[in-house]
Amino acid sequence: MAVAKMLFSDVETFLDSHPELFEDYLNRKGSYGMVEKWLKNHQASKSPVAASPAEPREEKSAALKDSWASKCDGLQRRASQKELRKTFARSKAINVNRTYDEHVNSRAQEPLTSMRRRALLRKASSLPPTTAHILSALLESRVNIPQYPSTAVDFKYYLKEHNEREFFLELVKDISNDLDLTSLSYKILVFVCIMVDADRCSLFLVEGTGNKKTLVSKFFDVHAGTTVLPSMNSDEVQVPWGKGIIGYVAEHGETVNIPDAYQDRRFSDEIDKLTGYKTKSLLCMPIRNSDGEIIGVAQAINKNSSGELFSEDDEKVLQMYLPFCGIAISNAQLFAASRKEYDRSRALLEVVNDLFEEQTDLEKIVRKIMHRAQTLLKCERCSVQLLEDIESPVVKFTKSFELLSPKCSADTESSFKDSMEKSSYSDWLINNSIAELVASTGLPVNISDAYQDPRFDAEADQFSDFHIRSVLCVPIWNSNHQIIGVAQVLNRLDGKPFDDADQRLFENVPILQAFVIFCGLGINNTIMYDQVKKSWAKQSVALDVLSYHATCSKTEVDKFKAANIPLVCELGIDKLSFDDFSLDVDAMVTAVLRMFMELGIVPKFKIEYETLCRWLLTVRKNYRMVLYHNWRHAFNVCQCMFAMLTTAGFQETLTEVEILALIVGCVCHDLDHRGTNNAFQAKTGSALALLYGTSATLEHHHFNHAVMILQSEGHNIFSNLSSTEYSDLMQLLKQSILATDLTLYFENRNTFFELVSNGEYNWNVKAHRDMCRSMMMTACDLGAVTKPWEISRKVAELVTSEFFEQGDRERSELKLTPSAIFDRNRKDELPGLQLEWIDGICAPLYETLVKLNPKLQPMVDMIRANRAKWEELNNKRQHGHSISAPASPCSGDSPESSGCLVSKTGSSPCCSETPPASVS
């Protein structure tokens, strides 16, 4: 049978015209998968679509009609198992973390949505980024108390009359959802009144532990008609443990049902006198927690029906209901305790924030700490007293800070202001006696009744304007576990004594190491800051004095500024064989000035001539008068570098910035040298070793000293350089000075030697240029070995004399036997050590540099000539001929005018503690 060809649009039009046919077909033929697919594509809402205020009422009605949740549609969707699971999981996710929120009353029933969490986090980001603010915002975004509107009393009476099962479940559900102890206590009393038809009810909760238990109630005489919570400002009622019927029930755990209260000897009419209410019949029953411990007592008073008494049925009903109350009260107490810990933790975080915000003023930080303590402990007075000397066994306080709570004075504003500024003498005397005890023993003192404690001076307190009831005094420790003061709080505002929780707040508990630890840290840091400021001031004065005496005078500057500078040929400073002892102290300064001008440095970098003279004279003044590492040695190194740059032609290869860095580095490379090597600094644990470490200790000090001189007023010869040139120059200068440490030389020399020997050295490679400059600095530092024999031997004797002095100090101060090079008892071994020195360290370096620049060949030739002389002396020593020791380390020159150029202190053999034979 042929089927007529149908268009889809025709079928759709037909179904639109016959909706009942489509619905019938869907009910008969539709599958579960089709419905699920339709729901997925249309994202059906689970609740009626809420129209905005701007939408017309007709559109809102249409939206409700189209919604699956609308009853008028007539088609109710049955939730699939998958949807039910999603809904359940979603509800759990919403409610599982809801425990408490400060502002819940202002937004009751508001779900904790992700939008609200994001808003709270945005709020946090707008606050200062402190730990306390961030944590508070995070907690607030996750913490909320469940709030369910309590069912009306009239409805509960209705349920009691018509469906006792639903009535009981409703009461249980209502208290199970409340974690606020105040609200919960009120609900329990109202519900007990309804259950047993009592006129009044009271609830007493157990406080304290051990022998200090009491029964406390802030809610009594509550009846079913109460519509609001009782005033929280009313004084609470306390019943001693075991006293009266309430105390008897709490102590023995028995139910008491009395038809006539006044006929029972256990009954106390104190509360009746207090409230003015006449108690007749009475039903009193203990409330237990899940562990069976008594945590409270519920009391129903006077049946509403005239003449009736509480029956056994009333007892049974309460016996079934109160266990649920016990669980709810325990949960509320646990929550209250956690909330209290949260508040304390938050306050402690704020203390930490205060510590980081204010560490410069002791009084400010102590006042902040006292204010936090007063807020946490709710006390009338708080004081902090600091010890004058924490090392002294005698307790003496040097500073005292006190803060009086505004709540304990009628004139709040003036009292608070006055308390911040002064305290009476009697207060100080009373506080001081207990504070001294705590400071001397290191143990906290917690006095619940001051007049009953023998340590308290009650007589002095009677003459004071401020009367003390209770005292909590604890020591304040620093990070070294030393007592630096005491913290003392007086009189809780609620009249109670300070409990264990208050004391623990000031002791070592897991809450961020507790409040007093932060007090100690904050106070100690502030005191240390004050000490640092004083030390800095002393240092600043000392540096100012030293700077004055370490810088050259204006007369000297004017003298050299006006002096005629000899030519290079007159000075002979361009020769590789220059005589290191040919110039006097002032002539060496003029020679360096000539080097700067000859190299074109002065005009190129726009160095002011007066500044150059001042800088050079100050550098000279900052070299110490030691035998070898003095101003003459610095000049000789600089002259050797000048000869290599000009005569050997390195000036044509290096850049002008590199040349400036090398010349300045040579002049400054041994600034403030003490005549001892790096190993000696490490052995003695000197200030330099502590400051710079044990790697290139002296070299780092020389560089920093050079920088200090450059930064002194009128000494910056680099002031006209661009920022890029200045940055590059300082890096090159540091590299040049550190290169004089032979440890760095040994690290790089094998690589450098191989590059040159294999013909792979490339001036265009930065690493190659860096190595070459370092090798040039070392070659200049050891340059005395390349000078004529008489000069070279004289320098070697100077170096040896300086090393002998270090060896003498090692023997006398460190009780060590110095190595051969530092031991004056083995001075006859000098020729052999020099041979090892030349063969192991010097000759390979200069021979490699000659391969790179043949113009340095005279240096190698002179080394070989000097080696032959040392070998001749060594042979004579080995054959028993004595070698005369140097007549004088300085050969007639003063330490200021003498010097040598063989080696760097710390090198071998003249500067290391290992003989040259060990160097290969």
Side-chain angles (χ1 to χ4, degrees):
M1 173 178 162
V3 181
K5 187 175 182 181
M6 300 180 62
L7 296 175
F8 178 79
S9 57
D10 296 337
V11 175
E12 187 175 10
T13 302
F14 176 79
L15 291 176
D16 290 341
S17 303
H18 302 81
E20 69 285 351
L21 179 63
F22 172 73
E23 182 179 340
D24 177 68
Y25 180 81
L26 184 62
N27 288 331
R28 289 185 295 105
K29 299 291 187 176
S31 65
Y32 176 82
M34 292 171 57
V35 177
E36 284 290 305
K37 186 175 181 181
W38 188 94
L39 289 172
K40 182 178 180 180
N41 292 334
H42 289 75
Q43 295 292 319
S45 175
K46 294 181 292 183
S47 58
V49 178
S52 64
E55 290 178 337
R57 186 166 299 180
E58 292 80 1
E59 293 182 14
K60 182 176 179 181
S61 303
L64 289 172
K65 186 178 292 185
D66 292 339
S67 173
W68 281 83
S70 179
K71 294 183 179 180
C72 62
D73 188 34
L75 182 61
Q76 295 292 329
R77 179 173 71 89
R78 179 183 179 184
S80 65
Q81 292 182 359
K82 184 177 180 181
E83 289 297 318
L84 287 174
R85 284 196 298 271
K86 286 184 179 179
T87 303
F88 176 75
R90 202 173 291 116
S91 66
K92 295 295 286 184
I94 292 176
N95 295 320
V96 68
N97 291 312
R98 299 176 66 191
T99 53
Y100 182 83
D101 192 284
E102 294 177 353
H103 311 291
V104 68
N105 294 329
S106 65
R107 61 167 193 274
Q109 298 295 324
E110 180 181 347
L112 193 60
T113 62
S114 59
M115 184 179 298
R116 167 163 168 69
R117 290 179 186 145
R118 286 195 298 270
L120 285 167
L121 289 175
R122 282 196 301 272
K123 173 186 175 184
S125 64
S126 65
L127 295 170
T130 62
T131 309
H133 287 133
I134 294 173
L135 182 62
S136 300
L138 290 175
L139 288 173
E140 186 179 0
S141 68
R142 298 294 298 174
V143 178
N144 194 4
I145 188 170
Q147 291 289 316
Y148 301 92
S150 58
T151 311
V153 174
D154 294 339
F155 179 64
K156 287 185 170 57
Y157 275 117
Y158 173 81
L159 287 179
K160 180 181 179 182
E161 295 295 329
H162 296 84
N163 192 332
E164 290 187 357
R165 179 176 176 275
E166 288 294 331
F167 166 70
F168 190 82
L169 290 176
E170 184 69 25
L171 297 189
V172 171
K173 183 185 74 172
D174 216 345
I175 63 171
S176 66
N177 290 328
D178 203 331
L179 288 177
D180 182 67
L181 190 59
T182 303
S183 172
L184 177 65
S185 301
Y186 160 72
K187 285 183 181 180
I188 290 174
L189 294 180
V190 172
F191 295 163
V192 168
C193 284
I194 296 174
M195 294 182 76
V196 299
D197 198 23
D199 183 45
R200 294 285 190 275
C201 277
S202 299
L203 177 65
F204 291 82
L205 299 179
V206 178
E207 289 189 2
T209 57
N211 298 327
K212 298 181 180 180
K213 288 183 178 179
T214 57
L215 293 158
V216 180
S217 174
K218 292 183 180 179
F219 304 111
F220 52 93
D221 281 357
V222 174
H223 55 87
T226 305
T227 57
V228 295
L229 292 177
S231 173
M232 292 297 296
N233 295 326
S234 59
D235 293 334
E236 61 187 20
V237 177
Q238 294 190 15
V239 176
W241 188 261
K243 184 177 180 180
I245 294 178
I246 295 172
Y248 174 84
V249 171
E251 184 178 25
H252 296 87
E254 300 176 3
T255 299
V256 173
N257 189 350
I258 303 175
D260 188 351
Y262 281 84
Q263 298 301 317
D264 194 296
R265 60 181 180 80
R266 298 169 298 185
F267 179 73
S268 174
D269 62 350
E270 291 182 7
I271 296 179
D272 277 11
K273 292 177 180 178
L274 181 67
T275 61
Y277 181 79
K278 176 76 172 177
T279 302
K280 298 176 183 176
S281 57
L282 184 147
L283 176 59
C284 198
M285 190 173 292
I287 301 175
R288 301 176 185 271
N289 60 16
S290 57
D291 296 328
E293 298 175 355
I294 296 175
I295 59 173
V297 175
Q299 179 179 257
I301 305 173
N302 298 348
K303 272 277 195 177
N304 279 325
S305 303
S306 58
E308 288 192 18
L309 304 177
F310 293 107
S311 63
E312 293 184 4
D313 290 339
D314 294 330
E315 293 182 26
K316 290 179 181 179
V317 170
L318 281 186
Q319 285 175 352
M320 288 189 296
Y321 184 63
L322 291 184
F324 294 100
C325 297
I327 295 173
I329 291 173
S330 295
N331 291 338
Q333 288 175 334
L334 286 173
F335 175 74
S338 65
R339 173 62 184 175
K340 189 175 183 180
E341 293 302 316
Y342 162 71
D343 289 337
R344 286 179 170 176
S345 299
R346 183 173 179 175
L348 290 172
L349 286 172
E350 291 172 350
V351 170
V352 177
N353 181 50
D354 291 342
L355 297 184
F356 283 103
E357 283 185 347
E358 182 60 67
Q359 288 193 344
T360 59
D361 191 298
L362 180 63
E363 184 172 352
K364 286 182 180 179
I365 196 169
V366 171
R367 298 241 179 256
K368 283 185 177 182
I369 290 171
M370 289 192 299
H371 181 70
R372 299 291 183 195
Q374 198 173 73
T375 303
L376 284 170
L377 299 177
K378 297 179 175 58
C379 59
E380 294 181 1
R381 196 168 210 157
C382 178
S383 68
V384 172
Q385 298 163 33
L386 303 181
L387 288 173
E388 183 178 45
D389 184 4
I390 61 176
E391 303 290 346
S392 174
V394 179
V395 176
K396 185 178 179 181
F397 297 108
T398 181
K399 291 184 179 180
S400 177
F401 305 90
E402 295 200 53
L403 182 65
L404 183 65
S405 172
K407 295 183 179 179
C408 62
S409 173
D411 189 1
T412 299
E413 225 174 275
S414 61
S415 171
F416 184 76
K417 184 177 179 181
D418 293 342
S419 68
M420 294 286 286
E421 299 174 354
K422 62 182 180 179
S423 60
S424 67
Y425 176 77
S426 59
D427 291 344
W428 164 253
L429 183 65
I430 297 169
N431 297 352
N432 197 36
S433 61
I434 299 174
E436 286 179 353
L437 176 64
V438 173
S440 60
T441 62
L443 300 174
V445 170
N446 190 352
I447 302 176
S448 57
D449 189 348
Y451 279 81
Q452 299 300 319
D453 195 286
R455 298 168 292 185
F456 182 74
D457 190 352
E459 184 177 352
D461 184 61
Q462 294 176 356
F463 295 97
S464 171
D465 296 332
F466 180 84
H467 299 291
I468 300 175
R469 301 186 304 273
S470 56
V471 180
L472 174 59
C473 187
V474 295
I476 299 175
W477 307 83
N478 63 13
S479 57
N480 296 324
H481 205 67
Q482 295 173 304
I483 297 176
I484 60 174
V486 295
Q488 187 170 244
V489 289
L490 308 174
N491 299 356
R492 275 179 49 163
L493 290 173
D494 57 8
K496 295 181 180 180
F498 296 102
D499 55 22
D500 293 337
D502 297 325
Q503 183 172 331
R504 284 199 308 272
L505 183 62
F506 278 93
E507 292 177 354
N508 189 20
V509 290
I511 308 177
L512 298 180
Q513 297 300 315
F515 187 83
V516 76
I517 303 299
F518 292 127
C519 290
L521 288 174
I523 293 172
N524 190 54
N525 289 346
T526 307
I527 293 175
M528 288 178 62
Y529 178 81
D530 187 56
Q531 293 173 347
V532 169
K533 282 201 305 182
K534 290 180 180 178
S535 298
W536 178 86
K538 291 179 181 178
Q539 184 184 25
S540 179
V541 173
L543 286 175
D544 186 54
V545 173
L546 291 174
S547 176
Y548 175 79
H549 291 287
T551 56
C552 61
S553 65
K554 186 176 185 301
T555 304
E556 288 180 299
V557 176
D558 293 340
K559 171 187 172 183
F560 282 93
K561 183 180 177 182
N564 292 321
I565 308 300
L567 299 175
V568 171
C569 59
E570 296 173 358
L571 295 168
I573 54 177
D574 59 337
K575 298 177 181 178
L576 293 174
S577 59
F578 175 79
D579 184 354
D580 292 352
F581 301 98
S582 61
L583 300 179
D584 61 22
V585 176
D586 288 344
M588 287 188 284
V589 175
T590 57
V592 175
L593 290 172
R594 172 53 64 187
M595 293 178 198
F596 272 78
M597 290 186 289
E598 192 69 21
L599 292 170
I601 294 174
V602 175
K604 168 61 182 177
F605 297 103
K606 300 177 183 177
I607 300 175
E608 295 182 6
Y609 191 70
E610 182 178 348
T611 302
L612 179 60
C613 293
R614 185 181 296 108
W615 169 80
L616 194 56
L617 289 168
T618 299
V619 168
R620 183 184 70 173
K621 197 169 185 178
N622 278 268
Y623 273 93
R624 300 195 180 200
M625 296 178 67
V626 294
L627 292 175
Y628 169 58
H629 291 95
N630 48 38
W631 164 242
R632 180 172 295 279
H633 166 61
F635 167 75
N636 289 332
V637 174
C638 186
Q639 182 276 324
C640 189
M641 179 62 72
F642 177 76
M644 292 178 69
L645 290 171
T646 56
T647 303
F650 278 104
Q651 183 179 9
E652 301 173 2
T653 307
L654 298 173
T655 65
E656 292 170 320
V657 174
E658 288 175 318
I659 292 172
L660 178 60
L662 288 172
I663 290 295
V664 174
C666 289
V667 174
C668 299
H669 83 283
D670 270 334
L671 271 170
D672 195 46
H673 200 291
R674 282 91 192 284
T676 54
N677 63 5
N678 288 332
F680 185 83
Q681 305 300 324
K683 287 177 183 177
T684 57
S686 66
L688 291 178
L690 294 175
L691 182 60
Y692 300 109
T694 57
S695 176
T697 304
L698 290 169
E699 286 71 27
H700 280 100
H701 176 59
H702 302 326
F703 171 72
N704 286 345
H705 203 91
V707 173
M708 183 188 71
I709 294 175
L710 286 169
Q711 291 177 343
S712 300
E713 185 179 357
H715 290 75
N716 189 2
I717 59 176
F718 305 147
S719 60
N720 292 322
L721 272 66
S722 66
S723 59
T724 304
E725 288 177 330
Y726 184 84
S727 177
D728 294 341
L729 179 60
M730 294 307 294
Q731 290 294 327
L732 293 173
L733 178 60
K734 182 176 183 180
Q735 184 187 66
S736 299
I737 294 177
L738 295 184
T740 58
D741 178 19
L742 286 186
T743 302
L744 184 62
Y745 162 72
F746 285 122
E747 290 178 1
N748 296 328
R749 73 171 195 163
N750 290 337
T751 304
F752 180 72
F753 292 171
E754 289 177 5
L755 287 172
V756 175
S757 299
N758 299 333
E760 298 175 356
Y761 181 85
N762 188 346
W763 283 103
N764 296 321
V765 178
K766 181 180 182 301
H768 293 188
R769 294 177 72 93
D770 291 345
M771 278 190 290
C772 182
R773 289 195 309 274
S774 297
M775 295 301 158
M776 290 174 65
M777 286 295 300
T778 304
C780 293
D781 199 13
L782 311 181
V785 76
T786 68
K787 300 300 175 71
W789 167 246
E790 292 301 325
I791 299 173
S792 183
R793 176 170 178 170
K794 185 176 180 180
V795 170
E797 291 170 352
L798 286 171
V799 174
T800 305
S801 298
E802 185 176 285
F803 287 175
F804 285 166
E805 290 190 356
Q806 176 178 323
D808 294 341
R809 292 183 62 184
E810 289 180 2
R811 184 179 283 108
S812 61
E813 297 176 14
L814 304 179
K815 309 303 180 186
L816 298 175
T817 301
S819 59
I821 192 175
F822 297 96
D823 192 348
R824 68 173 62 251
N825 298 327
R826 302 170 64 180
K827 58 185 177 181
D828 58 330
E829 300 178 17
L830 176 60
L833 294 174
Q834 282 296 115
L835 288 174
E836 295 177 353
W837 165 254
I838 292 172
D839 294 340
I841 296 177
C842 300
L845 172 61
Y846 292 103
E847 289 170 357
T848 303
L849 288 174
V850 166
K851 293 178 184 178
L852 194 64
N853 188 340
K855 293 181 181 180
L856 297 177
Q857 183 62 41
M859 301 179 81
V860 175
D861 295 339
M862 195 57 67
I863 288 177
R864 292 170 181 170
N866 289 335
R867 187 190 183 285
K869 293 287 186 180
W870 286 115
E871 187 173 15
E872 181 182 349
L873 291 176
N874 188 52
N875 291 336
K876 289 182 181 180
R877 185 185 71 83
Q878 291 177 352
H879 289 85
H881 298 284
S882 62
I883 301 175
S884 59
S888 169
C890 305
S891 299
D893 285 340
S894 67
E896 174 65 25
S897 62
S898 65
C900 80
L901 213 53
V902 166
S903 64
K904 181 80 174 133
T905 295
S907 61
S908 170
C910 298
C911 18
S912 76
E913 298 192 68
T914 57
S918 65
V919 181
S920 59

